[in-house]
Amino acid sequence: MKFSLKILLCMIIVMALALGFSGYYFVNYVFETSVEREVGQALDESSILGFAFETAALSVPATYSVLPDSTVEEIAANLEKSGQGSGRLIRIADEGKNVLYASDGFETDEQLLALTDENTKAYQITQVGNKYYIHTGTAVISLNRILYLETMRDVSEVFKEREMGFSLYRKVTLVMLLSGIIIMHFISSFLTKPILLLTQATKQMAAGDYSYRAKQVSRDELGQLTLDFNRMAETLEKNIIQLEEEIEAKEEFMGAFAHELKTPLTAIIGYADMLRSHKLDEEQRLMSSNYIYTEGKRLEAMSLRLLDIIVAGKKEAVLQTISAEAVFDYLKDMFTGSGEMEFLFQYDEGEITAEVNLIKTVLVNLIDNACKASETGGKIEVNGYALQDGYRFAVKDYGIGIPEEEQHKITQAFYMVDKSRARSRNGAGLGLALCTEILKIHNSELEIESETGKGSCFSFVLPYDVSMQTKEGGDENDEARD
């Protein structure tokens, strides 16, 4: 059963019970009020008749010391005549509760008469055929006699009104239930619409449409649930897209890696076969040997960089403190004097805390990339700044630059903005991926500023408290592994 139908059924049951109990209570309340009113009037009428009987008995001649039975019957008959048309019946009994006079149609048992005495008035509601009466009994003392006066007052109309009230209320209840079913159907459909939309959204997502979003049709708890569901769906879609991109990146990585291996290996095999099977002059032999050596060294460098990436992603930095001057002296010795580029080294004095060999690897890769992005003789600036929270290294070139849409991809392994240019200079696209992993274990990150045709600036900051941060990071990783 649908949830909306369950809500509708529950509301109908509650409504039916509420109308039923309230109607029964209301009709019964009106009925009981009417009965109490009729009982009061019947008792008052009984008292008035008793007083009238006593008054009439006072007019009996004084020759009687005791009221005769014939006089009792005469007075009773006169009282009955005076009340003709009122639906009132009377009966009078003597001291022994023997009936002396009774109106035509006065048919009832003598149970009430047995309960009536000098000090007690009694009444009961009795049914005679299809009619209902209020039967009252009271004692009348007149001329040394104790008589018992009973009256019967027709209250059938009160009971008919009750039946009419119940009948009318049943009809009203039925109409209200039918109207309520229609209204409640629309209400339950409106209340459950967000759930229906969420169900449709889950079916769409289960079918693979992760971009589908449920429409928010209210601002209550269900509306908030819809909003939270859409946020969850958005996060799920981003994660799936990220996973797909990672899978695609891995496929590209494998393709690029296979290509990087195949190209130099093909040339190495070809030149080696030439050396093995042909007689070459000294120049050709030297050229072939040099190509084999160069491509072999490139394969070695690429393999070592891949290994560095794997290792750098798993280990913690072994920290030591060294002056920034020592790092820049190392870079000057490595790059100046080649004559291919113009290098400018400027730095502030200070100390850094890091795994020095890894940081040197980062800087060497950044400078190497700057050289590949620049024309021969281009200018490369390597700067160092002592900041308040750490020491910043920056490598700037004035080469080809990087398009803005490519900047978030260049730290991926084997990704190259200009593949032909990078490969012509023995680039494999691994340098920045290695730099990113090394900087992660130093609680730092690579910052990139670049503009196409105007050059690029790669920088990072080594925090002074990297030791504490690395230790905390290590503890968190340990906890995560635990």
Side-chain angles (χ1 to χ4, degrees):
M1 183 182 292
K2 291 184 177 180
F3 185 63
S4 59
L5 294 179
K6 289 182 180 180
I7 293 178
L8 179 61
L9 181 60
C10 292
M11 295 175 78
I12 291 173
I13 293 174
V14 171
M15 188 175 177
L17 291 175
L19 289 174
F21 281 114
S22 62
Y24 177 80
Y25 174 79
F26 176 74
V27 174
N28 253 6
Y29 175 78
V30 173
F31 169 73
E32 290 173 0
T33 302
S34 299
V35 169
E36 287 178 2
R37 183 182 67 249
E38 293 293 335
V39 168
Q41 291 177 358
L43 291 174
D44 291 341
E45 188 177 64
S46 176
S47 298
I48 292 171
L49 285 174
F51 178 75
F53 187 92
E54 292 175 355
T55 303
L58 293 175
S59 63
V60 174
T63 54
Y64 296 103
S65 59
V66 177
L67 191 66
D69 290 346
S70 58
T71 304
V72 171
E73 294 175 2
E74 183 181 351
I75 295 173
N78 291 331
L79 291 176
E80 183 181 2
K81 289 179 182 179
S82 66
Q84 283 184 350
S86 63
R88 179 185 66 206
L89 304 174
I90 65 173
R91 185 171 69 176
I92 295 179
D94 60 12
E95 293 87 342
K97 297 187 178 179
N98 299 312
V99 176
L100 299 177
Y101 179 85
S103 301
D104 294 337
F106 198 108
E107 299 176 2
T108 184
D109 56 34
E110 297 183 359
Q111 182 179 358
L112 183 69
L113 181 59
L115 297 174
T116 306
D117 56 29
E118 297 179 29
N119 302 315
T120 303
K121 288 184 178 181
Y123 77 92
Q124 68 179 9
I125 297 176
T126 183
Q127 182 179 6
V128 179
N130 294 327
K131 291 188 176 183
Y132 292 88
Y133 296 89
I134 297 177
H135 182 192
T136 66
T138 185
V140 177
I141 302 174
S142 181
L143 289 180
N144 300 319
R145 293 194 70 177
I146 299 177
L147 303 174
Y148 296 96
L149 174 64
E150 297 176 87
T151 65
M152 289 183 68
R153 180 182 177 86
D154 189 357
V155 291
S156 299
E157 287 299 320
V158 175
F159 284 86
K160 287 182 181 179
E161 288 175 0
R162 184 179 69 167
E163 291 301 321
M164 290 176 60
F166 278 126
S167 176
L168 177 62
Y169 200 80
R170 281 192 291 269
K171 294 177 181 178
V172 171
T173 300
L174 182 61
V175 172
M176 291 184 69
L177 281 176
L178 292 176
S179 303
I181 289 173
I182 297 173
I183 296 172
M184 296 303 176
H185 174 70
F186 287 107
I187 293 175
S188 62
S189 299
F190 174 75
L191 292 177
T192 57
K193 187 175 181 181
I195 299 177
L196 180 62
L197 294 175
L198 284 173
T199 302
Q200 293 176 351
T202 55
K203 289 181 179 179
Q204 290 289 335
M205 294 185 68
D209 185 5
Y210 299 105
S211 62
Y212 189 87
R213 297 291 180 268
K215 183 180 179 181
Q216 185 179 2
V217 295
S218 63
R219 296 187 179 276
D220 54 9
E221 290 83 357
L222 289 176
Q224 184 62 41
L225 177 62
T226 302
L227 186 61
D228 293 339
F229 177 86
N230 288 338
R231 288 174 180 170
M232 180 193 70
E234 186 175 352
T235 302
L236 179 62
E237 183 183 14
K238 289 180 180 179
N239 290 338
I240 291 175
I241 292 175
Q242 184 178 356
L243 289 174
E244 291 175 348
E245 289 178 350
E246 290 178 359
I247 292 173
E248 184 180 357
K250 287 181 180 179
E251 292 177 352
E252 292 179 356
F253 179 93
M254 296 302 296
F257 184 62
H259 186 274
E260 290 295 326
L261 288 177
K262 180 180 179 181
T263 302
L265 284 175
T266 300
I268 289 172
I269 292 171
Y271 279 104
D273 182 64
M274 185 183 297
L275 288 173
R276 181 178 63 86
S277 59
H278 294 80
K279 291 183 179 180
L280 303 176
D281 56 29
E282 184 65 23
E283 183 179 352
Q284 290 177 328
R285 186 181 64 80
L286 182 61
M287 182 190 68
S288 299
S289 300
N290 185 64
Y291 191 88
I292 292 172
Y293 176 79
T294 302
E295 290 302 300
K297 292 295 289 184
R298 190 162 79 87
L299 284 177
E300 179 187 33
M302 185 172 62
S303 300
L304 289 175
R305 286 186 178 183
L306 280 171
L307 182 62
D308 284 341
I309 290 175
I310 296 172
V311 173
K314 294 183 179 179
K315 71 177 183 178
E316 295 180 358
V318 180
L319 303 175
Q320 62 185 104
T321 300
I322 189 174
S323 66
E325 183 180 2
V327 175
F328 277 91
D329 288 343
Y330 170 80
L331 297 176
K332 289 177 183 178
D333 292 340
M334 176 169 289
F335 289 98
T336 55
S338 62
E340 294 184 358
M341 296 292 173
E342 178 186 352
F343 291 96
L344 178 62
F345 295 91
Q346 293 181 339
Y347 58 91
D348 297 336
E349 293 184 357
E351 293 185 340
I352 62 170
T353 301
E355 186 167 345
V356 179
N357 289 332
L358 291 180
I359 295 302
K360 288 180 179 179
T361 301
V362 172
L363 292 169
V364 168
N365 273 286
L366 294 180
I367 296 173
D368 186 51
N369 284 343
C371 293
K372 293 171 183 175
S374 304
E375 298 294 338
T376 301
K379 183 179 179 181
I380 307 294
E381 297 179 2
V382 184
N383 300 315
Y385 307 96
L387 307 178
Q388 185 175 357
D389 57 345
Y391 197 93
R392 175 182 293 274
F393 290 93
V395 177
K396 185 176 182 180
D397 65 73
Y398 296 88
I400 60 174
I402 304 169
E404 185 176 354
E405 64 273 11
E406 303 284 342
Q407 291 180 14
H408 69 285
K409 300 179 182 179
I410 60 175
T411 56
Q412 299 175 7
F414 286 109
Y415 186 84
M416 291 172 282
V417 178
D418 188 345
K419 295 179 174 59
S420 61
R421 180 185 182 93
R423 285 184 180 138
S424 68
R425 301 197 177 192
N426 293 329
L430 291 169
L432 293 181
L434 173 62
C435 294
T436 301
E437 295 298 330
I438 292 175
L439 291 176
K440 279 182 182 178
I441 64 175
H442 285 82
N443 293 292
S444 184
E445 61 181 358
L446 195 62
E447 300 175 16
I448 304 170
E449 298 177 9
S450 185
E451 187 176 349
T452 305
K454 294 185 178 181
S456 306
C457 179
F458 291 82
S459 63
F460 61 91
V461 177
L462 289 178
Y464 294 129
D465 56 349
V466 66
S467 175
M468 181 63 69
Q469 293 179 11
T470 303
K471 186 177 186 304
E472 292 175 354
D475 293 341
E476 292 175 358
N477 292 334
D478 292 341
E479 292 175 1
R481 287 193 294 270
D482 292 341

